[in-house]
Each structure stands twice: as C-alpha cells, then as structure tokens.
Amino acid sequence: MQPIDGERLNEEVADLYSEYLNPGLAKVFRFAGLGVESRAEGCYVYDATGRRFLDCLGGYGVFSLGHRHPAVVQSVKDQLDRMPLPSKIMFNEPQARLAAKLAQVLPGDLQYTFFCNSGTEAVEGALKIARKATGRTRIVSTLGSYHGKTFGGLSASGREVYKKPFLPLLPDFEQVPFGDLSAAETAIDEKTAAFIVEPVQGEGGILIPPAGYLRGLRHLCDRHGALLIADEVQTGLGRTGFMFGVDRDGVAPHIITLAKCLGGGVMPIGAFSSTPATWDAAFGDNPLIHTSTFGGNQLACAAGLAALNVIESEGLVERSRTMGQLLVERLRAIQDKFNGFITDVRGLGLMIGVEFAEPDYGELTVTGMIQRGVIAAYTLNNPKVIRFEPPLIITESHIDEAARAVEESVLAAQELVVSIA
C-alpha cells in the first residue's frame, strides 16, 4: 500500500472545497493552516500529514466521550450487522430502550421522547409541539441565543447577522435579554406558547445566568400556561458538570432538546422529550403529527444508549466538574498575566469561555493555538470569546498541554498587536 502524501492530499481536498463545497470556508481553513482530518482517538485528532491536535473544541460539544469511544463504536458495529435503518412499520427495539433510558435520567417528569437527526431538528420539533399543545403561537427566546439555522431555530435565535439575510422569518417570535427575569416577566403572557432558553448560552459567549433564573422562568411559564423549553443541545449530558444544565437550578422544563454528544461522538442523533401532559396535548389526537424518516434509526439509537451507559459508568458528569475547575484555574492564571488583553474567564464544568478585549485578539490566539497543535474556536454570536469544550475524558496532562498552548499563543498575539500599534 502506497503511503499517503499528506501535503498533496491537503491541497487536493482544499481545491475540491473551493470548487464544489464552500469557497469562503476553504479560504478560512487555509488561512488557519488547517489540513485534512485523517483519524481521531480519545482527545486527539490527526491530520493527513500525521500531525496531532489536542481537541479542546470537541466538535462544539459532540465529543464528550472523546473520539471513537470503544464501547460506542462496538455497539454501532454490532447493530450494523443486524439492522442499520428501520422499516418504519414495526417496533424498533434500540429506539424504545434509548427512550426508556432517557426517561430514567431526564429531570422531573419528562417521559416521552421523539428522535431526529440534529439539534436544530430537535428545536423545530419542540417549537411545533409547544404551539400544538398550547394552541398559542407566540415564542419568547433570548438575545444572543443560538437554536440552529433552520427557519424555526433561526427565528428563535438572537443574533441579527444570521437572521437578516433570510427575513421575513416566522412570525410571533420575540427576544429578551438573557438572564433578566424582569424582562421575561414582561414578555410572557396568556398568548405565549413557550419560552425557549439555553441553561448556558454557548454561541452567545459561554454566558451563565444568575442562580434561580431558570427556576423563575418555570414559575412564570406555569403562571401563564406557557411551556418552558430547555435547549440542552450543548449543555446536556454532563457538559456543565451536571447531567443537564437545568439541574444547576434544580428545575425541570416542560420540553427539553438534546443532540450533539447524545450520539457518543459516533452517530448523529437529536431528540426532544416532554412531560406526559404536553405530549398528549400535542400527539394525542394524531400520533403522526410530527415524523422523521431517519430519526430514531437503530444505528443512532444504539450509539445513544451506549453513550448514556458510558457517561454513567465512567463518572463523566463529576469528571466534567473537577476537570473544568482545573482548566478554569489554569486559564485564570493566564488571564492574570495578560490582564487587559484577556478580560474574563468563565464557565460551568467543561463549557468554558475566555473573553478578549477585542475580537482580533481572540482570532490571533485561536490561530496560534492551532499552530501549536490545540484546537479551539470562537463563539458564533460573540467573536471576542474563545470556547473550550474538550472531551469529558480529558486528563490533567491534557490540560497542561492546552494551557501551555494558550499562554504561548496569547503572548505571541499580544506582541504582534503591540508591534503594529
């Protein structure tokens, strides 16, 4: 077998991106010095030249179990040999067992689950059943939020740069400031179907609301007969150091959305779950009111069930909390050295943001980290903030490696800024 010429493959694939996929994205990848990802294992990704990268981005929250966790891979391989996709006219055992497992770990009386293929599909379904269950149309969300880029998800999201090119979006959507209960109280009324919120704003810049905020939202929704939708696509299943982000406030929503790490980093899967009362009001008169051809397929559900078992058996929720505290400490020590260049370090569990005084500072730092073999990215709705969402299996030595790359990259970025000032 002929060895792969990594550099030649990088150029070939970049050219194909430019010609057939996304020319603008190809330019961004080339500018950052990114090649073709070739393989991955644990906390590392390798490019076609064999270069190793510590993954501190984690696929924006997909790889909570790391890359190619053996238990998830084996579960999918075993299912592939039996039946990968459903006929849709019979009972589906992996789907049923995954739904039952979710009902055991979900907060409150969330019980029934619909499976789809992505986070934005989960949000679309949640918004639909909220309107159907309440008979109302008005949806309230938060500024800076991110709920996907389909029409429903985009209508609920809170940054105009992604919304304006596609106006008009869906009617009866309103945004209020995140973390502001008084603004929510003004917005939620007898015409409101639902308030959709992220327990921690991811793309908004890793923003953590005040304690009691989510509990207050649930109270306001209950008062007015509206539904609280918790978008846990990024925060769910251990990312914040809690099994679910809402657990920090000890509150349960009426509807919850999941995706990303639910597939164990091996298969794409999304889901929304609701209480029996909400489910019956939405699906009771027509069980086919919302459907998906590929949603709940056997391969994805086998991965999801294995992922939940790994999260429990390996204690990844607690590990997220302890490793997150350590990473925050290391990053705050770097902030102290570059005070004024870095303005804040914040996070819950292993969902951490480093905020810079200017967006360019963050961009230069990300580029420097990639050059030093550590993957990170800024948040979509706040480019001043670099996000850290590494696998929950990260170790102290990995954190040391990441911190060295951050410190060296910040120093290089600061020196460059001073030299051209």
Side-chain angles (χ1 to χ4, degrees), residues 108-165:
D109 60 346
L110 294 167
Q111 179 176 343
Y112 293 101
T113 296
F114 180 96
F115 292 106
C116 49
N117 308 284
S118 66
T120 193
E121 289 177 63
V123 168
E124 291 286 333
L127 295 174
K128 283 179 65 179
I129 70 163
R131 284 184 165 181
K132 175 70 165 59
T134 61
R136 304 172 181 181
T137 60
R138 193 158 171 269
I139 306 291
V140 184
S141 59
T142 60
L143 295 170
S145 62
Y146 182 81
H147 301 290
K149 289 190 176 122
T150 52
F151 267 100
L154 196 56
S155 298
S157 293
R159 191 179 180 207
E160 291 302 312
V161 68
Y162 296 111
K163 300 169 73 166
K164 189 174 180 180

Side-chain angles (χ1 to χ4, degrees), residues 86 88 92 94-95 115-117 269-270 292 294-301:
K88 307 298 288 189
N92 175 335
Q95 181 175 221
F115 292 106
C116 49
N117 308 284
I269 185 172
S292 170
F294 293 111
N297 69 76
Q298 283 92 335
L299 281 181
C301 289

Side-chain angles (χ1 to χ4, degrees), residues 28 31 356 358-370 378 383-384 386 413:
V28 170
F31 174 78
F356 291 80
E358 298 291 340
D360 288 349
Y361 299 174
E363 185 176 344
L364 288 169
T365 300
V366 166
T367 301
M369 289 173 63
I370 291 169
Y378 59 80
K384 287 184 178 181
I386 292 179

Side-chain angles (χ1 to χ4, degrees), residues 284-341:
D285 58 353
N286 184 353
L288 300 178
I289 197 72
H290 187 71
T291 58
S292 170
T293 298
F294 293 111
N297 69 76
Q298 283 92 335
L299 281 181
C301 289
L305 189 56
L308 291 178
N309 289 333
V310 168
I311 289 168
E312 289 185 337
S313 65
E314 297 189 7
L316 295 187
V317 176
E318 176 60 30
R319 186 172 188 82
S320 173
R321 189 178 301 124
T322 55
M323 290 296 103
Q325 289 171 350
L326 180 60
L327 181 54
V328 165
E329 288 172 5
R330 297 296 304 274
L331 292 171
R332 283 181 176 159
I334 295 169
Q335 179 190 359
D336 290 342
K337 293 183 179 180
F338 298 94
N339 197 20
F341 200 79

